[in-house]
């Protein structure tokens, strides 16, 4: 006798111990060809015998037959997220053996517990990440980086036009053999956290948990760094010291020997400038091609009446994923000047928080992003005015070409306890292609009446009137376009006192303008505007 299954039977896919199986969603009935109903148990036995591949008798504990499809999809995503997280954590290496590493292990253990129990990976439905496509990151699989250094490539990124001390970090670990520590005052400390005394070590560990570099639900990658870093590189400037030379932190990352996998590095940097000191620091990210994830975190504390000029430059290869977090805490009467330049990596994002903890302090946040090909460059900033009489100024400029995208989200929060605050914010973007995109979100959150605040955003192309003026003076069109675009970026670019970085950036701008001109001509030919 042959039997047929009723059409009311439904199956939904699920994951069970890594294998794809199916669960019953509705109670089904079976009947024979002559119309007689069969007993339910007999029907199940027949169905199990005839369809063994889509029948399971041991469903996962997290799934039940009454669950909706959306619930099952969410459970499947959580499983995939934990698998990806575990693949990243499996690439962790042991911390350097010198010194006591118990406190470091405690940090790792705390962050790992939060990652696996409470935190989740961001997606396009999360407000803070909806414009940053992390699909390539979550599809990537990682292995330990090779740690092999191309000395010629490394030396090409050394700044020879300015006096500086080169501090080299290879995959996030300070390498004294490649660094230049000569001429640094004895009171200044630059090196591994395990080489510090116990009191200052505890201050460093406390600072790493602060703000954006700690365990945050909105930025899980800082928690991944906290669970995975091999060492903390510390720059400690004691009181009343003024360094004329720049401290050049060269963050060199390497790829994996197996080209099927991405390399991975987690640089962790802490900069402490005590009261009355003045120092200039360049944090420079670059590396070899081949694909890797550079997931860094930087913690900064500026003491009373101190001045810190801090620069971050992203010149990673185009096949790199570059994600960073920075937290700056400002005491009273201090000055913090921060400048950010990003032109590398496939996906590059910096999430930054600046906290005013002392009155009458000043901060300046200037950023320039140059995106070509199919890059996504993202800058998220949060300026928190907690105390009275502080001033912040933020200017961001984005130059976007080809099919790239630039994202800027800046939030300035002025609390009720912070009267007489002065805060200004402006983002300007220039599009050089019809397919280029920019997402700009300047925001003010004010809980006080005694303030002076402004914010704004502009998006434009090359001005035809300005281009016509230069053409009428006999300047060739390509040179005129380069001149206009260069002038757009020069206002912020000239603030970087590093000749080789500026030269490479100007060459990139000229190449971007040339490529965008050829693309616009090809699009016009396709649309029939030109013969």
């Amino acid at each position: 006798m042959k039997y047929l299954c009723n059409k009311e039977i439904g199956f939904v896919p699920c994951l069970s111990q890594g294998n794809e199986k199916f669960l019953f969603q509705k109670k089904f009935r079976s009947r024979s060809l002559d119309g007689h109903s069969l007993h339910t148990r007999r029907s199940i036995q027949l169905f199990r015998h005839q369809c063994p591949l889509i029948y399971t008798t041991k469903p996962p504990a997290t799934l039940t037959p009454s669950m909706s499809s959306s619930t099952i999809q969410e459970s499947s995503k959580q499983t995939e997220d934990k698998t990806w997280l575990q693949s990243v954590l499996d690439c962790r290496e042991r911390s350097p053996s010198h010194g006591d590493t118990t406190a470091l292990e405690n940090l790792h253990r705390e962050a790992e517990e939060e990652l696996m129990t409470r935190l989740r990976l961001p997606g396009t439905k999360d407000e803070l990440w909806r414009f940053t496509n992390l699909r390539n990151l979550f599809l990537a699989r990682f292995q330990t980086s090779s740690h092999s250094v191309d000395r010629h490539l490394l030396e090409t990124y050394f700044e020879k036009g300015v006096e500086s001390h080169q501090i080299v970090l290879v995959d996030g670990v300070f390498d004294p053999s490649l660094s230049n520590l000569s001429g640094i005052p004895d009171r200044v400390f630059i090196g591994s956290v395990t080489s510090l005394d116990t009191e200052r070590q505890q201050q460093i560990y406390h600072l790493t948990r602060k703000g954006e570099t700690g365990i945050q639900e909105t930025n899980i990658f800082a928690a991944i760094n906290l669970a995975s870093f091999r060492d903390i590189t510390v720059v400690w400037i004691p009181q009343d010291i003024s360094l004329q030379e720049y401290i050049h932190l060269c963050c060199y990352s390497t790829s994996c020997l197996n080209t099927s996998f991405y390399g991975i590095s987690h640089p962790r940097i802490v900069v402490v400038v005590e009261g009355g000191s003045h120092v200039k620091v360049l944090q420079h990210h670059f590396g070899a091609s081949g694909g890797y994830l550079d997931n860094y975190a930087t913690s900064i504390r500026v003491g009373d009446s101190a001045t810190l000029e801090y620069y971050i430059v992203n010149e990673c290869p185009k096949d790199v994923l570059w994600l960073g977090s920075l937290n700056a805490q400002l005491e009273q009467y201090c000055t913090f000047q921060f400048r950010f330049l990003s032109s590398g990596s496939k996906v590059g994002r910096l999430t930054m928080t600046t906290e005013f903890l002392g009155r009458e302090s000043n901060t300046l946040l200037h950023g320039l992003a140059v995106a070509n090909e199919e890059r996504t460059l993202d800058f998220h900033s949060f300026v928190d005015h907690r105390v009275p009489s502080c001033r912040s100024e933020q200017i961001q400029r984005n130059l976007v070409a080809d099919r790239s995208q630039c994202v800027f989200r800046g939030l300035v929060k002025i609390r009720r306890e912070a009267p007489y605050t002065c805060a200004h914010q402006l983002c300007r973007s220039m599009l050089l292609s019809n397919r280029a995109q920019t997402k700009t979100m300047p925001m003010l959150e004010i809980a006080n009446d005694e303030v002076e605040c402004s914010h704004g955003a502009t998006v434009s192309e090359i001005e035809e009137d300005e281009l016509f003026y230069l053409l009428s003076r006999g300047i060739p069109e390509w040179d005129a376009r380069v001149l206009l675009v260069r002038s757009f970026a020069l206002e912020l670019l000239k603030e970087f006192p590093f000749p080789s970085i500026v030269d490479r950036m100007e060459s990139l701008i000229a190449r971007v303008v040339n490529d965008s001109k050829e693309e616009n001509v090809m699009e016009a030919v396709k649309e029939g505007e030109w013969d």
Side-chain angles (χ1 to χ4, degrees):
M1 180 181 293
K2 295 183 179 180
Y3 302 94
L4 297 177
C5 293
N6 191 291
K7 293 182 179 180
E8 292 181 359
I9 299 176
F11 304 94
V12 289
C14 69
L15 292 178
S16 174
Q17 300 178 355
N19 298 319
E20 186 175 1
K21 298 184 179 180
F22 292 80
L23 291 176
F24 291 108
Q25 195 174 28
K26 295 182 180 180
K27 186 177 180 180
F28 66 88
R29 300 187 303 272
S30 296
R31 62 181 176 84
S32 62
L33 291 177
D34 56 4
H36 294 87
S37 298
L38 296 175
H39 192 274
T40 304
R41 179 178 298 179
R42 176 60 176 163
S43 301
I44 294 176
Q45 292 175 352
L46 288 171
F47 186 78
R48 182 190 307 176
H49 176 71
Q50 296 179 6
C51 308
L53 296 180
I54 59 174
Y55 181 83
T56 178
T57 59
K58 188 178 180 181
T62 57
L63 300 176
T64 62
S66 60
M67 281 186 176
S68 62
S69 58
S70 60
T71 305
I72 294 175
Q73 290 177 359
E74 180 66 22
S75 178
S76 177
K77 183 181 184 303
Q78 293 177 1
T79 303
E80 293 175 358
D81 289 352
K82 288 189 176 182
T83 302
W84 186 87
L85 275 175
Q86 192 60 51
S87 70
V88 172
L89 297 177
D90 289 342
C91 296
R92 290 180 296 182
E93 301 177 73
R94 296 177 61 89
S95 301
S97 58
H98 55 81
D100 184 12
T101 60
T102 303
L104 296 179
E105 294 173 357
N106 291 336
L107 285 176
H108 293 330
R109 191 179 303 109
E110 177 186 352
E112 182 179 357
E113 182 179 353
E114 292 291 323
L115 284 171
M116 303 307 294
T117 58
R118 184 171 63 88
L119 303 183
R120 64 182 185 86
L121 297 178
T124 55
K125 294 183 180 180
D126 295 277
E127 177 63 26
L128 298 180
W129 293 89
R130 63 192 181 102
F131 295 123
T132 305
N133 189 353
L134 299 176
R135 181 174 180 271
N136 291 334
L137 173 64
F138 296 144
L139 289 177
R141 290 297 177 263
F142 303 93
Q143 282 188 357
T144 305
S145 298
S146 62
H147 306 322
S148 60
V149 179
D150 185 346
R151 288 180 175 267
H152 176 72
L153 176 64
L154 179 63
E155 292 176 358
T156 58
Y157 285 96
F158 285 168
E159 282 297 325
K160 300 179 177 60
V162 295
E163 296 182 359
S164 61
H165 303 285
Q166 286 81 27
I167 312 300
V168 179
L169 283 68
V170 179
D171 293 325
V173 178
F174 170 62
D175 191 337
S177 63
L178 298 175
S179 303
N180 176 22
L181 298 176
S182 61
I184 295 179
D186 295 336
R187 295 172 57 197
V188 175
F189 176 83
I190 300 177
S192 171
V193 66
T194 55
S195 301
L196 283 171
D197 56 85
T198 304
E199 181 181 356
R200 288 195 287 182
Q201 281 189 29
Q202 294 303 320
Q203 296 183 39
I204 295 298
Y205 298 145
H206 179 70
L207 189 58
T208 56
R209 293 184 171 95
K210 293 287 187 178
E212 198 63 47
T213 56
I215 299 174
Q216 296 280 337
E217 293 184 1
T218 56
N219 187 7
I220 190 176
F221 299 105
I224 293 176
N225 177 286
L226 197 61
S228 307
F229 71 85
R230 297 173 58 198
D231 197 8
I232 301 178
T233 301
V234 179
V235 178
W236 193 293
I237 311 297
Q239 290 186 353
D240 302 324
I241 284 186
S242 179
L243 290 181
Q244 300 300 325
E245 302 84 2
Y246 285 85
I247 297 177
H248 187 182
L249 298 175
C250 303
C251 299
Y252 184 95
S253 298
T254 63
S255 57
C256 180
L257 293 177
N258 188 345
T259 57
S260 300
F261 292 84
Y262 267 53
I264 188 168
S265 64
H266 302 280
R268 169 70 65 158
I269 300 170
V270 176
V271 178
V272 178
V273 183
E274 294 186 357
S277 296
H278 183 191
V279 65
K280 298 170 286 187
V281 180
L282 167 62
Q283 182 177 327
H284 195 178
H285 290 259
F286 55 90
S289 60
Y292 58 84
L293 168 63
D294 185 352
N295 179 38
Y296 71 93
T298 302
S299 302
I300 296 174
R301 191 180 72 194
V302 185
D304 298 347
S305 304
T307 300
L308 173 62
E309 298 179 28
Y310 206 87
Y311 303 83
I312 291 185
V313 177
N314 168 26
E315 288 191 289
C316 296
K318 63 180 180 180
D319 53 356
V320 169
L321 305 171
W322 186 77
L323 303 174
S325 307
L326 187 145
N327 175 254
Q329 297 186 347
L330 312 182
E331 304 293 341
Q332 60 183 355
Y333 310 117
C334 70
T335 300
F336 176 53
Q337 298 181 2
F338 174 80
R339 295 177 176 88
F340 172 57
L341 177 60
S342 181
S343 62
S345 69
K346 179 72 173 180
V347 176
R349 170 167 170 144
L350 171 60
T351 305
M352 176 180 181
T353 59
T354 305
E355 302 178 63
F356 286 93
L357 305 181
R359 58 186 303 141
E360 298 188 31
S361 294
N362 299 315
T363 184
L364 177 146
L365 309 177
H366 287 183
L368 173 63
V370 180
N372 65 327
E373 297 178 350
E374 296 185 9
R375 305 179 193 270
T376 296
L377 301 182
D378 189 347
F379 181 42
H380 273 49
S381 69
F382 173 43
V383 181
D384 191 0
H385 287 267
R386 296 169 174 251
V387 292
S389 305
C390 292
R391 179 184 180 88
S392 65
E393 175 189 310
Q394 184 170 16
I395 299 177
Q396 175 70 24
R397 295 207 172 187
N398 300 321
L399 187 60
V400 199
D402 303 330
R403 298 185 180 182
S404 295
Q405 174 183 241
C406 280
V407 181
F408 170 76
R409 186 182 189 274
L411 172 61
V412 178
K413 184 175 183 178
I414 304 175
R415 300 178 184 267
R416 187 176 299 275
E417 302 82 12
Y420 313 114
T421 293
C422 181
H424 300 283
Q425 185 183 69
L426 176 64
C427 178
R428 296 184 61 190
S429 301
M430 176 178 287
L431 303 181
L432 299 179
S433 170
N434 295 332
R435 300 179 181 179
Q437 298 182 17
T438 180
K439 308 292 191 310
T440 307
M441 293 157 285
M443 294 175 288
L444 291 174
E445 183 178 330
I446 305 174
N448 202 300
D449 295 333
E450 300 293 332
V451 297
E452 177 186 338
C453 298
S454 67
H455 75 305
T458 63
V459 180
S460 65
E461 299 177 344
I462 295 179
E463 293 291 340
E464 295 297 332
D465 294 341
E466 297 176 355
L467 181 61
F468 176 77
Y469 176 81
L470 295 178
L471 294 177
S472 65
R473 295 299 184 270
I475 300 177
E477 181 181 356
W478 184 76
D479 294 338
R481 289 180 178 271
V482 172
L483 183 62
L484 291 174
V485 175
R486 182 176 177 273
S487 63
F488 173 82
L490 188 61
E491 181 178 349
L492 298 184
L493 193 60
K494 66 182 181 182
E495 297 179 357
F496 288 81
F498 311 109
S500 61
I501 293 177
V502 174
D503 290 343
R504 288 194 296 269
M505 190 56 55
E506 290 185 344
S507 300
L508 175 62
I509 290 175
R511 187 168 68 253
V512 166
V513 174
N514 185 39
D515 295 342
S516 63
K517 177 185 175 182
E518 294 179 357
E519 181 182 357
N520 292 335
V521 170
M522 293 301 297
E523 289 182 357
V525 171
K526 290 180 180 179
E527 294 175 1
E529 298 179 5
W530 289 13
D531 294 334

